[in-house]
Amino acid sequence: MRKQEVRTGREAGQGHGTGSPAEQVKALMDLLSGKGSQSSQVPQALDRTPDSSLGPCSSDSMIQRHRKALLSKVGGGSELAGPWHRLASLLLVEGLTDLQLREHDFTQVEATRGSGRPARTVALDRLFLPLSRVSVPPRVSITIGVAGMGKTTLVRHFVRLWAHGQVGKDFSLVLPLTFRDLNTHEKLCADRLICSVFPHIGEPSLAVAVPARALLILDGLDECRTPLDFSNTVACMDPKKEIPVDHLITNIIRGNLFPEVSIWITSRPSASGQIPGGLVDRMTEIRGFNEEEIKVCLEQMFPEDQALLGWVLSQVQADRALYLMCTVPAFCRLMGVALGHLWRSRTGPQDAELWPPRTLCELYSWYFRMALSGEGQEKGKASPRIEQVAHGGRKMVGTLGRLAFHGLLKKKYVFYEQDMKAFGVDLALLQGALCSCFLQREETLASSVAYCFSHLSLQEFVAAAYYYGASRRAIFDLFTESGVSWPRLGFLTHFRSAAQRAMQAEDGRLDVFLRFLSGLLSPRVNALLAGSLLAQGEHQAYRTQVAELLQGCLRPDAAVCARDINVLHCLHELQHTELVRSVKEAMESGALARLTGPPHRAALAYLLQASDACAQEANLSLSLSQGVLQSLLPQLLYCRKLRLDTNQFQDPVMELLGSVLSGKDCRIQKISLQGNTVRDDGARSMAEALASNRTLSVLHLQKNSIGPMGAQRMADALKQNRSLKELVLSSNSIGDGGSKALAEALKVNQGLESLDLQSNSISDAGVAALMGALCTNQTLLSLSLRENSISPEGGQAIAHALCTNSTLKNLDLTANLLHDQGAQAIAVAVRENHTLTSLHLQWNFIQAGAAQALGQALQLNRSLTSLDLQENAIGDDGACAVAHALKVNTALTALYLQVASIGAPGAQVLGEALAVNRTLEILDLRGNAIGVSGAKALANALKVNSSLRRLNLQENSLGMGGAICVATALSGNHRLQHINLQGNHIGDSGARMISEAIKTNAPTCTVEM
């Protein structure tokens, strides 16, 4: 960023010390516009030397007055209490997603489940500083957040901290403006814009007060009266020329005016899309409340009533949809207020069916009842009965409802006195307590008054209530502002018109309005508002027809969009849940494949977004065709974990899924495609997506047919991708060629932690390549090479890698061809390796020689915690070697010796080892032949061993005598949690007797007989 050239104090004093206010304004505008004196070549700091007599005093005093003026406006405290600490840092995001650009704020929160995108954070005190040593400070910064997220609170907090000298220390001047202020002007020039927030310009020597850096804050772009049009706005560089306010703002953002001034804009996401991305240097996002912050917010609302607080918290958490919306601070407070009133207004059991709220409309109906009751307006005065203020409620809705409704149609959220007069709003009514619960009043800099609803959703609720009442008597289309249209008679006709308009609104601005309109027809809402806003039972005449009308809005043969899902939200508000319930039952029973109609697809998309089960993992296995999947693509973006196993998907489907994973909105963290028919072309589509995807961490592609070429594609993606942590490619026939490609990727990849290559026809050549990569790779923690064709030669390569690698923790070599030679080489490596914790050598034709080598390694190794030697004929000699190691080893916790040809001698030595070992927790000896004598040796060990938790002696020819020995020994062992004695020829009566004995001697131990 260029530095401004500013005059010295002496030059400024000479040039403007006695100038007129007009001249001083000119000096200020020239300097802000980068047209300062050319005679001074060195920028001068604000803390000037005492030699400049008039300049520094004037500058310092003026800046101090400005700071005090700001503090008087925003308040003097500098600390953020409770959940507002989240504003101390913002999410650093790369532009807007399609969801943010096109959808309603509620839809954004619901689709993303209230969580922000994975992103870096930037502290508030570094918001306008370079992010690295080679970058420059941003000139234009935008901070986005949905309605009620705290954008204005953030701005006021920043201004307060700056006035206290705690942030923005490189800004000598901060000029906060709101679009509510700017809307009061038709035309404005740049100098008047500055003077409106900087009233000290009439003082002498103003020029010296202009700093090297200034920050102009424009809060609330979404409230701008006229949309910004950057393509058709004429450039203006004259700060004295009056131009329309929207033209002025576009020229400031472009840098035609105030090129040296930093600009900070706050906005709702959709409105911020008006500014071309090329003009934005930095975009940040305010994150919503997390679970703890929701709790703290409610605790601050009810600090003295723990019973009330506990009940409110339980109700907030009881409904997932409403709980997610509580990540928006304004909604969280509104829900707390409504639930607090509900708690205090209970009159007896007859009200029980009315609460707690489970839909948006029910919640806002309770808020409306709270407003009618006057709760909190006059302390010490009994709340009036709802019947007594019903007329006031209807009058308020009639007065503000038309304003709210037409404001939604025009995207107008701030209203001025001229708007009130245009819609016939009685200004005196706005002073009442009822309106104050819905409307906020704010003085603007132009000495006028601005009004806005406390939250966007309140405007939508009042608008829906107005439309509901007006549509019962209107004869023309209410959406036509002039009131002239083809006649429209009857509530259903007007409801159909509202539904059609909402479905046609691409930005979703009527979505929540339609939800509220539908909710007003639900039985519970009718019971809540009967007598105050609705007539008792009037919903019954329309509810069924409205449900059919809404379902008829779902379009056939098209992708399910946000409008379709909103129809399901409307049905939920209407308490017409049959469609969603039928699809949910089909999902749970695995019968989803037969439900393929448009309503079922929309219901499935709704469940993907709203269901608790789908929030954990969306299981769509065995149920989807390509057509159904294609219709669900927009909703799959926001699933965290997605299972699409055994759907017979082929390569074209992978291209569709690749487009989802490549989307900027994509939130998928885990996807499983096990058991489909994906080939190399499908792998290519997935690989292309992985090259740009930054959210997917787990990908399961086992039991497909990607082959060597598909593995090559995936390897190319791994060279670029840094987010994928787990990749499962088992049973894909990738062979040595695919292994070599993956090995090349592992040499440069710094993110992958787990790789599963089970059953892939990999031989020594492929293993050698993989092991060569492990010598340099520093991130892979787990590698599975089960069921391949690794011979002793491959074992040598593995051993070499284990001597070098210092990160691998789990290595699975089950069902290969290592034999003693390969296993012995690995055993030697285990002596030197200090990181491997789990080693699987099951079914590798290992005999006593390799077992003895492993035993020697265990005496030295201090990292291995699990060793699997099952189905290897190590015999008694091998068992003895391992047992001797157990006497000194203090790391091993699990030892698997199933079907290892171990007899009584081996068991006796193992018993001796268990008597002294204090770390082994799992010992599995299933399928051996230790007999009675072996059982006795183990039983003696159990009397003194204190570490073993699980013991498997299944199928070991123990007989009754051996089983009794083990059961008796448990009387002195209170640590064993599970023992398996099945298949030992004990008989039913003996099994019952021994089971009872174990329950008596070791009541906490589970026994399998």
Side-chain angles (χ1 to χ4, degrees), residues 82-282:
W84 294 105
H85 282 303
R86 69 194 173 88
L87 297 182
S89 63
L90 303 176
L91 300 176
L92 197 63
V93 296
E94 299 178 1
L96 298 166
T97 65
D98 291 341
L99 180 73
Q100 291 173 319
L101 282 170
R102 298 176 182 174
E103 301 301 342
H104 190 284
D105 289 11
F106 272 30
T107 303
Q108 295 177 36
V109 176
E110 290 164 344
T112 60
R113 295 183 174 88
S115 63
R117 287 178 276 175
R120 295 169 54 189
T121 60
V122 56
L124 192 60
D125 59 353
R126 300 191 59 82
L127 186 57
F128 304 103
L129 297 178
L131 295 177
S132 66
R133 293 180 180 179
V134 296
S135 60
V136 297
R139 179 179 176 273
V140 177
S141 301
I142 297 181
T143 296
I144 59 172
V146 298
M149 193 59 81
K151 299 180 292 295
T152 298
T153 301
L154 171 67
V155 168
R156 290 175 177 171
H157 178 57
F158 179 89
V159 171
R160 190 182 302 120
L161 292 179
W162 175 82
H164 284 295
Q166 297 177 16
V167 299
K169 296 179 182 179
D170 49 340
F171 291 123
S172 296
L173 193 63
V174 171
L175 306 172
L177 267 175
T178 69
F179 280 91
R180 294 182 187 180
D181 294 326
L182 295 173
N183 288 341
T184 59
H185 301 275
E186 291 289 340
K187 289 187 174 183
L188 203 59
C189 61
D191 58 358
R192 282 185 57 205
L193 174 69
I194 297 301
C195 293
S196 64
V197 292
F198 195 36
H200 319 293
I201 59 174
E203 302 207 357
S205 306
L206 173 69
V208 301
V210 180
R213 278 194 75 191
L215 175 65
L216 178 62
I217 302 175
L218 300 173
D219 182 27
L221 174 60
D222 49 286
E223 297 177 347
C224 184
R225 181 173 55 189
T226 308
L228 304 184
D229 186 354
F230 283 82
S231 59
N232 297 313
T233 299
V234 178
C236 176
M237 299 183 184
D238 182 0
K240 282 184 165 297
K241 182 178 180 180
E242 285 199 351
I243 55 177
V245 170
D246 57 309
H247 291 195
L248 177 66
I249 298 303
T250 55
N251 275 285
I252 289 175
I253 294 173
R254 281 193 181 279
N256 297 329
L257 294 168
F258 306 156
E260 301 297 327
V261 174
S262 296
I263 311 297
W264 182 23
I265 302 164
T266 68
S267 175
R268 287 168 55 199
S270 57
S272 65
Q274 301 174 65
I275 303 176
L279 297 178
V280 180
D281 302 308
R282 184 171 297 174

Side-chain angles (χ1 to χ4, degrees), residues 708-719:
M709 286 302 298
Q712 176 71 62
R713 309 281 192 190
M714 300 300 295
D716 292 340
L718 288 177
K719 293 177 182 179

Side-chain angles (χ1 to χ4, degrees), residues 106 110 319 321-322 325 331 334-335 338-339 341-342 354-370 397 438 457-468 491 495 511-530 532-534 538-539 543 566 568-576 606:
F106 272 30
E110 290 164 344
D319 185 88
L322 295 180
M325 290 308 306
F331 186 94
L334 186 148
M335 188 168 185
L339 290 174
H341 168 71
L342 188 157
L354 301 181
W355 54 277
R358 289 294 177 261
T359 68
L360 275 177
C361 202
E362 289 175 26
L363 175 66
Y364 282 69
S365 298
W366 274 110
Y367 185 85
F368 186 78
R369 281 174 58 129
M370 180 277 299
V397 170
F438 289 86
S457 56
L458 285 173
Q459 181 175 348
E460 293 164 320
F461 176 77
V462 174
Y466 158 77
Y467 190 90
Y468 179 90
F491 174 80
F495 188 95
D511 280 2
V512 176
F513 162 80
L514 187 63
R515 290 191 206 179
F516 282 133
L517 185 60
S518 304
L520 290 170
L521 291 167
S522 80
R524 286 165 64 100
V525 170
N526 183 267
L528 279 168
L529 299 180
S532 60
L533 193 59
L534 307 176
E538 64 182 357
H539 65 288
R543 185 167 173 265
N566 193 63
L568 273 298
H569 280 291
C570 292
L571 290 171
H572 177 67
E573 294 289 336
L574 191 62
Q575 294 180 23
H576 186 90
Y606 169 81

